[in-house]
Amino acid sequence: DTLWDLAIAEVEKRENSDDDGKHVDVLEKSILFMGNKNGGKTTIILRCLERYVSSLGILWKRMFPNKETLLQPKDVAHFWELGGGTSLLELIRIPITSNNIRSFSVVLVLDLSKPNEIWTTMEKLLQVTRNHVNKILTKLEKTNPEVATEIKQRMRNNLQRDHPDYELVDPFPIPLVIIGSKYDIFHEFDSEMRKIISKTLRFVSHYYGASLVFTNKSEALLLKARALINHLAFGYDRSKAVSVDHSKPLFIPAGLDSLSQIGPPPASDSDIGKMRANTPLELWKKVFEKTFPPKSFCDLQDTKDPAQDLQYAEYEVDVMRAQKNQ
């Protein structure tokens, strides 16, 4: 028998046997990592998983529990990564489904060393994700309204009802963590540039009911990012520590910031008066892009795929690629 045969047999045995209620309760969570291309998503995931290097052993124990593990519930977290920056947006719908929407979270990794790409990347990825999640919630409202209501209310609960900004924010429909990566490079920027980027990301995070953390490859900063990810993946207690000093790495769990602490957009009153914006988010976007003009959409696209270039046509290889893509 193969390992899978043994696993299937063991699961069927446990499901059909009367074990006096000694059942291992498995709680599954899913997290989608997305963000700038080459922004550090994979590094963050791998560093977070270092603590769970024994996960195969845990899986084996779950499949073949002994007396010591029978009564110990095990949590499972599925980590997804969307590569390619904003070039593969349509793939977002694959991991997020109506079956797992209650336990799904998003981690948006933004490359602080590329401020001219931050807003465009953030806007495109969050907009497509939000639209997809809202479609799922609309269907759930018809088939399972209790679950849809629970999901919406859960995000509202990130902010206490007596918080002065309760009616001014627009929470993301599922838990969201925003990670500013490559802080070591960002720290070398001009102080005014750092302040604009930091204040803007604070506003966006607070507006969406998200947590915000700046990190790099140092263990101390990665521990803070890992703490927020552990909260999403395994329900660990969320840190109440807050760091809002723009001269230091930011760390702000969801619901612990405020518009009064963030302050107005970093622009003069005359400049703000000239900007036509329908929402606070749109105003912050205009102020941010005045300092950091976004790269054109073409600039953000990946280099043209040589596999689609006729000058590199190679029949046998192209046929195999077509089969693989299909």
Side-chain angles (χ1 to χ4, degrees), residues 17 25 38 42 44 46-47 54 60 74 92 104 116 134 145 165 186 194 203 223 236 281 293 296 308-309:
S17 64
D25 188 18
N38 300 320
T42 304
I44 292 171
L46 293 177
R47 293 294 292 273
S54 61
W60 181 266
K74 298 296 180 184
I92 286 175
F104 208 98
N116 298 85
N134 284 340
D165 304 333
F186 171 78
R194 295 202 310 269
F203 172 80
L223 278 173
Y236 291 1
L281 189 65
S296 68
Q308 307 300 324
D309 195 324

Side-chain angles (χ1 to χ4, degrees), residues 38 48 56 59 90 93 131 208 220 225 232 274 316 320:
N38 300 320
C48 284
L56 183 58
L59 174 62
E90 69 277 5
R93 61 185 173 81
N131 290 342
Y208 283 139
L232 298 179
K274 297 174 184 176
E316 291 82 1
M320 294 301 294

Side-chain angles (χ1 to χ4, degrees), residues 5 52 67 115 148 165 185 253-254:
D5 293 330
Y52 315 116
K67 292 182 179 179
D165 304 333
I185 300 176

Side-chain angles (χ1 to χ4, degrees), residues 165-176:
D165 304 333
Y166 188 79
E167 298 296 336
L168 302 176
V169 298
D170 185 17
F172 204 68
I174 55 179
L176 172 66

